Amino acid sequence: YDYTDLDGQKILNFINKVNERGRFSLVGNPKECLDKLRIVDGNKVTNAAILLFAKDEIIHHVHIGRLKTPTLIIDDRIIKKTLFETVDEIMKYIVSQIKFAFEIKGYPTQRTEIPEYPIEAIRETVLNAIIHRDYLLPYDIQIKIFDKEMTVYNPGKLSGNLTFEDLLTDNYQAYARNKLIAEMFYLT
C-alpha cells in the first residue's frame, strides 16, 4: 500500500476532528499532517493508515446482530468500512436496536430518554474492541444484542502478559496493542 490508497476526504475529516477536539493542532497539507503523526512516511503508509483512511473496504469486519436466542437471529449485518466509519455504523445500529424508556417530569413538561444500556458505556466498549483487536487474526469482531444482554467478541488475547486476575486488581500497566490506532482515536 502507498499514499494513493488513502481517501483524501477521510483524511480531511480526521484533521478537522483533531483540530476541533483541540488536543493537538494539525496544520499543513494532509500528507504533512499524517507524517507529523507518524502514520505515513512520504508515500509509505502504515497498516494503521490503511485501517483508518483506505479508499476501499478493509478486510477486518464487524459482524453485528440482534438475536432472540443464540440460534434465532432477527437481524444482522457485516460492517466492512474503515475504523472511524465502523465505530459510527456500530453505534447507529446498536441505538436502533436497543429499547428506550421515557421519563416525563417538571413544568413545562420535559421528556427524558433513558436507554436500555448507557450509550457512553456502549461506545467505550465498541472503541476498545476496535482499537485493541488483534489485526493479524482473520476473525471478525462479533457484537450480539439479545433482549437481556449484549456481548462483544474481540479477536485476540489480552495484550502483553496481562491476565484476567490483573484486570480485577486494577493494578497493572496499561498497554495498547495498536498504538497508532489508539493515538488517532484519542486525538478525535
Side-chain angles (χ1 to χ4, degrees), residues 65-70 94 97-99 116-117 122 143-152:
R66 178 77 173 88
L67 297 86
K68 274 293 190 191
T69 68
I94 291 173
Q97 297 295 321
I98 64 174
K99 298 176 194 115
E116 181 177 18
Y117 300 101
I122 294 171
I143 301 173
K144 298 176 182 179
I145 305 164
F146 295 94
D147 287 341
K148 302 228 184 261
E149 69 181 13
M150 187 180 316
T151 62
V152 178

Side-chain angles (χ1 to χ4, degrees), residues 14-111:
F14 167 76
I15 292 168
N16 289 336
K17 278 186 181 178
V18 169
N19 288 331
E20 286 171 14
R21 184 77 172 154
R23 290 183 169 163
F24 198 76
S25 177
L26 290 173
V27 293
N29 70 50
K31 192 184 277 191
E32 291 170 342
C33 291
L34 294 185
D35 187 58
K36 184 177 182 180
L37 295 170
R38 300 175 330 277
I39 200 160
V40 302
D41 183 8
N43 276 339
K44 290 174 49 181
V45 297
T46 61
N47 289 337
I50 292 297
L51 292 169
L52 294 165
F53 308 116
K55 286 180 183 174
D56 300 322
E57 286 182 359
I58 62 173
I59 61 170
H60 302 287
H61 306 153
V62 174
H63 197 162
I64 186 169
R66 178 77 173 88
L67 297 86
K68 274 293 190 191
T69 68
T71 58
L72 180 59
I73 302 166
I74 297 170
D75 184 56
D76 77 328
R77 70 180 44 136
I78 297 177
I79 301 171
K80 304 176 181 182
K81 299 186 176 202
T82 57
L83 301 186
F84 289 120
E85 295 168 313
T86 294
V87 169
D88 291 342
E89 290 294 315
I90 290 170
M91 291 306 297
K92 285 179 196 170
Y93 185 85
I94 291 173
V95 167
S96 76
Q97 297 295 321
I98 64 174
K99 298 176 194 115
F100 283 82
F102 302 100
E103 183 178 50
I104 299 173
K105 61 182 177 180
Y107 183 84
T109 304
Q110 296 291 320
R111 182 175 108 164

Side-chain angles (χ1 to χ4, degrees), residues 21 23 87 90-91 94 118-132 143 150 152 154 185-186:
R21 184 77 172 154
R23 290 183 169 163
V87 169
I90 290 170
M91 291 306 297
I94 291 173
I119 300 299
E120 297 82 13
I122 294 171
R123 185 166 177 80
E124 184 67 20
T125 302
V126 167
L127 286 170
N128 280 325
I130 295 291
I131 292 169
H132 299 297
I143 301 173
M150 187 180 316
V152 178
N154 182 8
F185 273 96
Y186 170 79

